[in-house]
Amino acid sequence: MIRILPFVLLAACNPPEGEYTSDVDVDTHINGPRDPGVPAAWDQSTSIRTSDGAFELFFTRPGTERGDEEDPELDDAVIRLIDAATSTIDASLFEFNREPIVESLLRANERGVAIRFAGDGDELHDPGYEALMEAGVLLSVRAPNDRIMHNKFVIVDDTTLFTGSTNFSRNGVMLNNNGSMIVNDPIVTASYAAEFEQMYSQGLFGRRKASVNPPTRTQIGDHIVTPRFSPADPANLALLDTLAEADTTVLFMVFSFTRLDIISELIELHNSGVQVVGVFDESQGRSRYSADDILAEAGVPVFIDGNRNAIGFAGGKLHHKTMIVDPLSESEPTTIVGSYNWSASANDYNDENLLVIEGAEVASAYMDEFCRVLAVATPHPLYLGTVPDPCAGLLIPVRFNEVFANPDGTDRGNEWVEIVNAGGAPVDLDGWTLGDLYSPSRHVFEPFILPPGASLVIAESPTGSTREVIVSSGTLSLNNNSEELTLYDASGTTVDHIGYQNAVSGVSFNRFPDGNLRGDFVLHTELPGAVGAASPGNLASGEEWGVEIVLNEAMPDPESGASEWVELVNVGTAEVDLSGWTLSDDGGSGNVLFPEGFILPGGRAVVLADVNADLSVFPGAVWEASSRLSLNNSNETITLYDRFGLERAQMSWGARTTADDGISVNRTVDGFRNSTLINHNLVENPDVPVELRPTSSPGLRVDGAVWGGEIVVNEALPNPEGSDSDQEFIEIVNVGNLTVDISGWTVGDAVNPRRHIFEDDFLLEPGAFVVVYDGGDHSDITGAVNASSGALALNNTGDSATLFNSNNEVVSSVQWSSSTSGVSWNRSVDGDPSSDLTLHTDVGLEDISPGAFATPIIP
């Protein structure tokens, strides 16, 4: 341990002459521009205060590429905390060069606040270390080259704790994915203070320290918190103890992960049926000791992070050390955060800290951050299983998107707020509330399902929007000069929190881009391609919600005589007008302009074929380009731009060889924009040997299936009340957004796969039902047909109902092992192919509902 007084440091480290200076305007950095005439709106979704007031959570916004980074609320929060200090500040920091935070500590020192600092000897030349010592602050540091003092926490006035994964450096705040929090609890803060005292007052670091106290679970509001400090209190035990309680889900995002005990536990949980999904930092994942390869090869779905915002090796890191167990479930949601990497060094040698936090709100906030990280990650190249989407059912991606606070003329009755569901699953808004600075419940939502990709306008009177509701309180009363709005879910948890000032008359504030969870708020008139001064219920351009285009497959090097082509897929729910959109390559020589009136429906694919293409070879929808595509065989990037010049999709491939002639490049996961591109015949298909796999599938999925079609066996009645004859049925529904030709498809049970064969030209429209009965007159049932074999013969004590396509491939199947007289088996979530069967009476009010979804049970 080295304990350095300022005059010793000055002699030893030769700091620059003169006072520490900074070019940062700290007041503007913290509070933003003060010009009262400039409208401003901001999103505080990355600054989340729990409803019990115990925690305030902050996350960085580094983006994915250089120049994408945004200045987060995180460092502003610690600056405000330091500026509010009246007596003491104890800081235990590893890296320290973030100028505005350095400035705040210097200001505190100048006004007489007692500052104590415990740091790491290898960081002595950080500008923050040098500035503090030059100002006369005593530093106690761990000896250089003696492992590391890796903490990142600050204690203010012995009452408030700021801690997390964030180094107080430019990289930590601006370029790395990080999270930190303010904890308002004297017991937890006292534990950190005891740890600090050992380092600062006693000069004890690493293994020389004693355990602060036995790990104590402290109730803080609606949460229970347990602090752990390594190496005296091995923190791996906290992770293992938490994993032992996992029931349904384990999610993690981690910088360095090498511990074999945690690897083994995660594999065991995965094999037992618990959903385990992790994201690794790309740079650390290259280490020979990293856990990512082991987990991927064991079948655990792991991803590599997408943060490429680096300067050399510095920055661009997934720097979280976070585990989330059973988030948003009936089990006790638990979140583990802190400075502790999952490595032997962190556990056995370094000075580290972590918090085990039991409670739904913190888990929900970190789940949100996990999903933001996962959205730009790519599946690990050694993982060959189905790529999961743990965020589809857990994340609540409902956000404020547009606010109209100052209508022209009279405000009363004309103000409105637009929210959007930017996720992939429907959200029930029942019991949610919308509040402002003066009332937490300006609007209370009744039962309302907000579909994925849809918007909802909360208004006092008709606005011309697609969807709207009347405000329950009778008025929104949005202030024009300064206001904050909060959206709460049914439990009172903050889902989104935004603010604005100086609202311009007749113009809304709108996210840019529309619906982007992290998009900035700008005046509606400043959005590229905006139509009018506001767009309630629609995109700013006037288009429908639900548009997402993926460049999914391309043929850059066709066989001799064939043509190049590119497949575009609309994986969203709404049709998109591609009029005026362009597809461009790296050099700009292959620009292709889509014609006016070109509409791509939701869930559909289109093949953009070269001008000389033989269109008869493409089974999917095809449009012939008016100019050559000119795709490079090697090292090509093609980009899709909308008519306003905004990038909407991109794909890139590297070097190809003559052996690749006639083989397309395709996403490893069809339609998933973040999956990598590989040769089409290498896309995983365990049922077909590599040598027999097709070399391309223009306009179709890799397996030859039609885009947009999702046919589900949804309900089955094996045991009708009374006689089974002519009353048994199997219900099938098209839950996709594309008409599907099911001619020649078959329905069977466990004994006979061909109980029914669908006749020629049998088309199943989106949302349509077909109910296969064993016989009889069922003309009163929508979509009823009788089994072509004359019988279904479904067993009451156990059987299955399976739908096969014309290639005898299983499309959808359900099984049961018992039955109740007169009550059907039904998907627990109507139409959801991933949900299990349950008795119909657990889903709807009726015993059966052939040809329709069940009438939901509303408590």
Side-chain angles (χ1 to χ4, degrees), residues 673-684:
R673 68 167 62 243
N674 292 318
S675 59
T676 55
L677 289 171
I678 61 175
N679 281 2
H680 190 282
N681 59 330
L682 298 181
V683 176
E684 180 65 18

Side-chain angles (χ1 to χ4, degrees), residues 82 85 87-91 105 108 111 113-116 154-157:
I82 291 171
S87 58
T88 62
I89 297 173
D90 292 338
L105 279 177
R111 66 176 186 270
V113 175
I115 297 177
R116 303 191 301 171
V154 174
I155 302 169
V156 174
D157 292 336

